[in-house]
Amino acid sequence: MQPTSSMKEEFLKKWQMGLQIYRPLIDNTSVSERRKAIKLSADVAMASLRKGTTCWSRALIQKTATEDNFLVRQMLSGIKAETLINKKLPKVMCHRKIVRRSKMILRRRQSRSAIEEVAAKARKLVKKKTQGLRNVVPGGEFMSNDVLLIQETLDYIVSLQTQVNVMRSIVDAAEAGSERTAYYLGKLKFAIEDG
Amino acid sequence: MSNRRSRQSSSAPRISDDQIIDLVTKLREILPEIGQRRRSDKVSASKVLQETCNYIRNLNREVDNLSERLAQLLESVDEDSPQAAVIRSLLM
């Protein structure tokens, strides 16, 4: 599973569209405002690749909308912006403290063999790590199902790789400027077509 | 409902474990360092998940750096220079 050239091209187009929306502001703002605009456009571009079909992309769009509602609406005007922004995310499935407390009570009542102890420790470690994953994947806190969580993670990573790949090519080309532009532009097109 | 779930956890169906193993294998393949090792090398699920978290954090950090570089570049470049024209054609 790798970023395809069509994914990269689509990301680039959407990102450019987002930057165009900011164009009037770009000349008159601080570096940090500009950085934020660049990053938000890139995030919406990345999320919109999935057209609302994954949980992480919906969560990311909603999160970005809280920071810049106008940008999100403009960038998504073709893809049911309203429904994506206002779509209700599922409520947290079970209150973690209650589950923890009842598990502790259960544990005290059971007596276990050594093998069961090891298996239980391994399961606990995996649970802890999946919790870490929930913290870094957008919308992770709503994914109580581990299978769903890992599926979403896989898709999120491929999308992030696409985002980084294209942004890196563009920024390298932009920094190179006029002297070696031809070379870098060629390399960029080559990289995008090569997939 | 949550009480019922915790009581059943010790007799949970095995099917979902296989699904998870399969997905963790897929995760391992796309991770930069672990993915390079031979398939026969054993890597624990816990380690794969940990590396995944780290990898995602690194990717996000790189996006932030790239955004910063670009913002700085737009700040420093002279409006009329050929470089500015290049940037405009790349970005807009």
Side-chain angles (χ1 to χ4, degrees):
Chain A
M1 224 191 301
Q2 256 195 6
T4 62
S5 58
S6 61
M7 272 177 80
K8 292 191 223 176
E9 265 189 67
E10 205 185 326
F11 169 80
L12 180 58
K13 275 200 200 105
K14 296 218 161 93
W15 184 39
Q16 285 171 329
M17 177 173 54
L19 291 171
Q20 258 171 328
I21 292 167
Y22 271 116
R23 180 124 190 231
L25 304 169
I26 274 190
D27 295 327
N28 299 318
T29 51
S30 64
V31 173
S32 63
E33 285 286 318
R34 228 176 269 155
R35 177 184 53 77
K36 192 174 157 197
I38 291 169
K39 170 125 200 310
L40 291 182
S41 321
D43 279 346
V44 177
M46 173 176 70
S48 67
L49 290 179
R50 287 314 183 215
K51 301 189 172 55
T53 55
T54 58
C55 193
W56 71 261
S57 59
R58 291 197 296 270
L60 185 56
I61 286 173
Q62 289 196 342
K63 186 176 127 197
T64 313
T66 61
E67 294 195 58
D68 193 333
N69 200 294
F70 171 73
L71 173 73
V72 174
R73 278 175 201 281
Q74 289 295 308
M75 283 182 75
L76 294 182
S77 52
I79 328 174
K80 301 177 272 183
E82 285 300 332
T83 44
L84 278 176
I85 292 174
N86 297 323
K87 194 174 173 101
K88 279 210 177 113
L89 289 173
K91 293 206 195 114
V92 179
M93 293 301 285
C94 60
H95 197 284
R96 277 195 275 279
K97 275 208 187 117
I98 296 177
V99 175
R100 250 210 307 265
R101 224 177 287 142
S102 48
K103 276 189 178 160
M104 270 167 58
I105 295 170
L106 226 75
R107 237 176 273 150
R108 266 179 243 139
R109 294 196 199 136
Q110 293 170 344
S111 60
R112 280 133 131 216
S113 70
I115 293 179
E116 279 176 329
E117 284 287 344
V118 171
K121 271 210 183 99
R123 263 201 300 273
K124 190 172 160 195
L125 198 59
V126 172
K127 263 283 174 253
K128 194 167 148 203
K129 302 300 182 187
T130 54
Q131 190 49 49
L133 217 52
R134 285 195 179 87
N135 293 333
V136 289
V137 174
E141 61 267 31
F142 303 106
M143 301 176 207
S144 54
N145 182 332
D146 281 350
V147 169
L148 173 68
L149 174 64
I150 301 183
Q151 283 171 334
E152 291 271 331
T153 303
L154 282 163
D155 192 65
Y156 180 50
I157 287 182
V158 175
S159 307
L160 273 176
Q161 287 172 332
T162 306
Q163 187 187 45
V164 167
N165 196 300
V166 175
M167 285 180 80
R168 200 187 291 145
S169 305
I170 292 282
V171 175
D172 283 348
E175 279 176 350
S178 59
E179 290 176 22
R180 280 169 286 169
T181 310
Y183 169 67
Y184 274 109
L185 275 175
K187 198 170 159 205
L188 172 67
K189 286 223 102 176
F190 181 79
I192 287 186
E193 280 156 14
D194 203 28
Chain B
M1 189 180 173
S2 52
N3 274 327
R4 229 182 295 138
R5 230 194 251 165
S6 55
R7 242 174 262 143
Q8 284 175 347
S9 65
S10 49
S11 54
R14 261 15 207 149
I15 296 173
S16 63
D17 273 7
D18 286 339
Q19 268 187 301
I20 293 190
I21 291 173
D22 182 53
L23 287 171
V24 171
T25 308
K26 289 206 172 86
L27 265 181
R28 180 188 163 167
E29 283 164 16
I30 62 180
L31 291 176
E33 275 182 32
I34 300 188
Q36 301 301 334
R37 297 203 207 147
R38 291 190 312 265
R39 268 172 159 262
S40 53
D41 285 356
K42 284 196 182 155
V43 184
S44 71
S46 163
K47 178 135 177 89
V48 173
L49 292 173
Q50 181 63 55
E51 287 300 313
T52 305
C53 288
N54 295 340
Y55 186 44
I56 290 177
R57 279 200 201 98
N58 287 339
L59 287 171
N60 280 320
R61 210 174 301 143
E62 190 162 358
V63 171
D64 285 337
N65 287 340
L66 288 166
S67 304
E68 176 69 28
R69 270 168 66 189
L70 193 53
Q72 291 282 358
L73 185 62
L74 290 171
E75 167 89 351
S76 60
V77 85
D78 183 14
E79 258 295 304
D80 303 319
S81 70
Q83 188 182 21
V86 165
I87 293 175
R88 271 195 291 275
S89 69
L90 277 174
L91 296 179
M92 294 158 192

